[in-house]
Amino acid sequence: MAELITIDDPDDPRLSDYTGLTDVELRRRREPAEGLFIAEGEKVIRRAKQAGYEMRSMLLSAKWVDVMRDVIDEVPAPVYAVQPDLAERVTGYHVHRGALASMQRKPLPDATELLGTARRVAVMESVNDHTNIGAIFRSAAALGMDAVLLSPDCADPLYRRSVKVSMGAVFSVPYARLDTWPRGLEAVREAGFKLLALTPADRATSIDEAAPHRLDRVALMLGAEGEGLSTQALRAADEWVRIPMAHGVDSLNVGAAAAVAFYAVTSGRPQP
Amino acid sequence: MAELITIDDPDDPRLSDYTGLTDVELRRRREPAEGLFIAEGEKVIRRAKQAGYEMRSMLLSAKWVDVMRDVIDEVPAPVYAVQPDLAERVTGYHVHRGALASMQRKPLPDATELLGTARRVAVMESVNDHTNIGAIFRSAAALGMDAVLLSPDCADPLYRRSVKVSMGAVFSVPYARLDTWPRGLEAVREAGFKLLALTPADRATSIDEAAPHRLDRVALMLGAEGEGLSTQALRAADEWVRIPMAHGVDSLNVGAAAAVAFYAVTSGRPQP
């Protein structure tokens, strides 16, 4: 059972996991270095716990202590009860959802480990917007993608905003980071995957004609909003596929494009 | 050719179309009542003009006068050149994109008029988030939906944020508002459309099995984020369809769900 500790001093060192949460640059450096990430809101905190992440501590305003009582009773981590205005001074923002947890990261699996069992893999290149990363993971989970691989420069799926937008899907879809790019894609191909690059290019095959759901193993490559996949990533692919677009429209946003492409590679399979 | 007028006084009545843009409640009342909407940023302004909307005026910071020179030369509406800080005082926010236009609304078509020529129609119930409305229109345009019908309580597609998120797709996909709900759906059915309600309900047919792309005329009904379609809307449908979801996931966000569903009802058709 957790210890419930009331804290009145915003400079109390026990709150250091929660300081400056709105400073993206700071948190981007600190969180991986210190091996932590922040889960925000009841639902997301429960999902992180269910997914086996160890809790370092929780920061709760008074009314959330009751709501989270069962979690408090179960975990050994300290729980800091604070006034909402103190939470705001520490974190830098008004914590609408009233509950924050600092969770311990787990070592990421190797890409090769994930590739051994997956059939449908999303490969993201340079997606460094935390909202987009979160939205893509949410769709990947819902639409049955088995794993996600990230190029070295993709944003952190465990950053607070990504976690929140994904509704915790970053805990349920296993992911790994490729060490080299695009060279790391070789391992994907060697594991038996066909590399499909999603691009609006005219010479790409329409994704409904490419019928990727009939392939045994598919790795679907996606680029960032606006940029799309780099030339080197497109070169490394086995085939280019495009979502058929109505006349005169530039593109879908990356979240919508990912959802459609995930549906196209997973639908028509027998559901588990 | 437009008149270029430098304005230094934030209370100048000629700027009244642009006052209090961050006050959503105010603008939601004023804009339809005064028959205007606001287009923000070069691309969106150009698209509004191309789509045949009449310009009432433009509000530009100095450096945008050159960028918009061709538009200024073409349209008769007055152009107000202002300092960025004056733009901020008038509108209530820092206008990053440097260019605003006040455009004249056009009368909306009747639903029956749109139903005469469309084959693929999206029907939205109670979608009152401006970002979601914009995202859905963007996907509707890209994925070849022919028209959108709105329940009486849907948000305004011409609200500034909707227009921006849609990247101007609200100008290119024709839409109409149903006067009564769900009674107005009768007219859709009478026009020969099969009404498909998108829902995560277990008893719904998987959308890939329902194969809506093979139907002659499809009206795809979507509810709001979180809520989904109301019971009365579900009752009014001809068939329930669901996006097949992987085990344990609640739902897609409404933008992703709409994109997948639009793809499912439009793909496999010969492209125009």
Side-chain angles (χ1 to χ4, degrees):
Chain A
M1 177 167 163
E3 203 184 347
L4 187 61
I5 302 161
T6 302
I7 295 187
D8 301 315
D9 174 9
D11 297 321
D12 191 308
R14 288 173 294 185
L15 299 182
S16 75
D17 280 6
Y18 304 96
T19 53
L21 288 185
T22 55
D23 185 340
V24 181
E25 278 317 308
L26 172 76
R27 299 297 307 192
R28 206 183 250 164
R29 279 196 312 272
R30 268 191 63 187
E31 294 185 6
E34 298 177 20
L36 66 88
F37 70 91
I38 299 293
E40 182 174 20
E42 181 190 356
K43 195 179 255 186
V44 166
I45 293 173
R46 291 183 186 278
R47 288 187 179 166
K49 183 175 156 284
Q50 275 157 19
Y53 288 96
E54 194 189 318
M55 193 178 283
R56 292 159 64 108
S57 67
M58 271 198 291
L59 181 75
L60 302 177
S61 56
K63 71 170 207 182
W64 287 92
V65 171
D66 287 339
V67 178
M68 302 300 280
R69 176 59 63 189
D70 58 314
V71 177
I72 297 173
D73 286 347
E74 258 177 62
V75 300
V79 175
Y80 306 122
V82 299
Q83 295 294 326
D85 59 333
L86 185 129
E88 186 166 347
R89 281 186 62 188
V90 172
T91 62
Y93 73 110
H94 177 68
V95 184
H96 298 280
R97 291 171 195 234
L100 294 171
S102 174
M103 311 295 294
Q104 190 68 35
R105 289 179 186 241
K106 298 190 280 197
L108 286 186
D110 268 352
T112 45
E113 193 184 325
L114 296 184
L115 292 167
T117 52
R119 291 188 55 227
R120 299 287 179 260
V121 173
V123 183
M124 295 194 225
E125 183 190 33
S126 308
V127 178
N128 40 37
D129 178 278
H130 291 119
T131 304
N132 288 342
I133 285 266
I136 291 170
F137 266 88
R138 184 173 173 195
S139 292
L143 295 167
M145 299 298 285
D146 302 316
V148 172
L149 298 178
L150 305 172
S151 71
D153 57 348
C154 278
D156 179 11
L158 292 180
Y159 182 74
R160 180 169 56 98
R161 171 115 194 112
S162 310
V163 171
K164 193 159 103 176
V165 171
S166 83
M167 308 272 283
V170 290
F171 310 141
S172 55
V173 181
Y175 68 92
R177 217 173 261 278
L178 296 171
D179 296 329
T180 55
W181 186 266
R183 203 142 42 84
L185 292 170
E186 279 309 315
V188 183
R189 188 179 286 113
E190 279 161 22
F193 286 80
K194 185 162 182 181
L195 291 164
L196 302 183
L198 191 67
T199 165
D202 284 339
R203 53 158 279 200
T205 312
S206 173
I207 200 166
D208 41 342
E209 285 162 31
H213 61 283
R214 299 222 180 83
L215 294 172
D216 184 38
R217 299 187 146 195
V218 177
L220 182 79
M221 299 161 60
L222 301 165
E225 179 85 29
E227 312 288 309
L229 289 166
S230 68
T231 307
Q232 55 174 0
L234 288 169
R235 274 204 203 113
D238 294 314
E239 188 175 353
W240 293 6
V241 293
R242 63 177 168 79
I243 296 169
M245 297 275 184
H247 186 68
V249 176
D250 300 291
S251 69
L252 289 163
N253 76 48
V254 68
V260 167
F262 295 162
Y263 173 76
V265 304
T266 58
S267 68
R269 287 194 295 162
Q271 291 304 302
Chain B
M1 178 168 161
E3 202 184 348
L4 188 60
I5 303 162
T6 301
I7 294 188
D8 301 314
D9 175 8
D11 297 320
D12 191 308
R14 290 174 293 186
L15 299 182
S16 75
D17 280 6
Y18 304 95
T19 53
L21 287 185
T22 55
D23 185 340
V24 181
E25 279 316 310
L26 173 76
R27 300 297 306 194
R28 207 183 249 162
R29 278 197 313 272
R30 268 192 64 188
E31 293 184 7
E34 298 178 19
L36 65 88
F37 70 92
I38 299 293
E40 183 174 19
E42 180 190 356
K43 196 180 255 186
V44 166
I45 293 173
R46 290 183 186 279
R47 286 185 181 168
K49 184 175 155 285
Q50 275 157 20
Y53 287 95
E54 195 189 318
M55 192 177 284
R56 291 158 65 107
S57 67
M58 271 199 291
L59 181 75
L60 303 176
S61 57
K63 71 170 205 182
W64 287 91
V65 171
D66 288 339
V67 177
M68 302 300 280
R69 176 59 63 190
D70 58 316
V71 177
I72 297 172
D73 286 348
E74 257 177 62
V75 299
V79 176
Y80 306 122
V82 299
Q83 295 294 325
D85 59 333
L86 184 130
E88 186 167 346
R89 281 186 63 189
V90 172
T91 62
Y93 73 110
H94 177 67
V95 185
H96 297 281
R97 290 169 197 235
L100 294 171
S102 175
M103 311 295 294
Q104 189 69 35
R105 288 180 187 242
K106 298 190 278 197
L108 286 186
D110 269 352
T112 44
E113 192 184 324
L114 295 185
L115 292 167
T117 53
R119 290 189 55 226
R120 298 288 178 260
V121 173
V123 183
M124 296 194 223
E125 183 190 33
S126 309
V127 179
N128 40 37
D129 179 278
H130 291 119
T131 304
N132 288 341
I133 286 266
I136 292 170
F137 266 88
R138 184 173 171 193
S139 292
L143 295 166
M145 300 297 285
D146 301 316
V148 172
L149 298 179
L150 305 172
S151 72
D153 57 348
C154 278
D156 179 12
L158 293 180
Y159 182 75
R160 179 170 55 100
R161 171 115 194 111
S162 310
V163 171
K164 193 159 103 175
V165 171
S166 83
M167 308 271 284
V170 292
F171 310 140
S172 55
V173 181
Y175 68 92
R177 217 173 261 278
L178 296 171
D179 295 328
T180 57
W181 185 266
R183 204 142 40 87
L185 292 170
E186 279 309 317
V188 184
R189 188 180 287 113
E190 279 162 20
F193 286 81
K194 185 162 183 181
L195 291 164
L196 302 183
L198 191 68
T199 166
D202 284 340
R203 51 159 280 201
T205 311
S206 172
I207 200 166
D208 38 342
E209 285 162 28
H213 61 282
R214 298 221 181 84
L215 295 172
D216 184 36
R217 297 187 148 195
V218 177
L220 182 80
M221 298 161 60
L222 301 166
E225 180 84 31
E227 313 288 309
L229 289 166
S230 68
T231 307
Q232 56 175 0
L234 287 169
R235 276 206 203 110
D238 294 312
E239 189 175 352
W240 293 6
V241 293
R242 63 178 168 78
I243 295 168
M245 298 275 184
H247 186 67
V249 176
D250 301 288
S251 70
L252 290 163
N253 77 47
V254 67
V260 167
F262 295 162
Y263 173 76
V265 304
T266 59
S267 68
R269 288 194 296 162
Q271 291 305 303

